[in-house]
Amino acid sequence: MVTHQMQQALEVGDRTIMMNDGHIAIDIKGEQRANMSVYDLMECFHANTGSDLEDDHILLAKQV
C-alpha cells in the first residue's frame, strides 16, 4: 500500500518504508515498528535524511 498518511501506514501491514528523492530513507519492521508513533517516524526520517518532512499537517492527518 502506498500512502502519505503516516498514521495509516503504521496501522496497516508490518513494514514501513519511507522514500526521499527516490531513495529509501527508512525501512522499519518488526518490534521496532510496532512501538513507533508518527512522531517517532518523523524523527527517524530527520535523523536519516537531515531534512524535515514537508506538509506535516497532511502527514499527521488521520484519515476518516
Side-chain angles (χ1 to χ4, degrees), residues 11-12 41 61 64:
E11 291 172 358
V12 178
L41 280 177
V64 180

Side-chain angles (χ1 to χ4, degrees), residues 17-52:
I17 297 172
M18 293 180 71
M19 304 292 291
N20 184 45
D21 290 331
H23 302 281
I24 295 175
I26 298 174
D27 184 355
I28 300 172
K29 56 188 169 186
E31 194 171 321
Q32 178 187 12
R33 182 188 174 279
N35 296 320
M36 291 189 96
S37 70
V38 170
Y39 294 102
D40 295 331
L41 280 177
M42 292 172 65
E43 288 178 11
C44 188
F45 183 88
H46 179 77
N48 290 350
T49 66
S51 62
D52 293 319

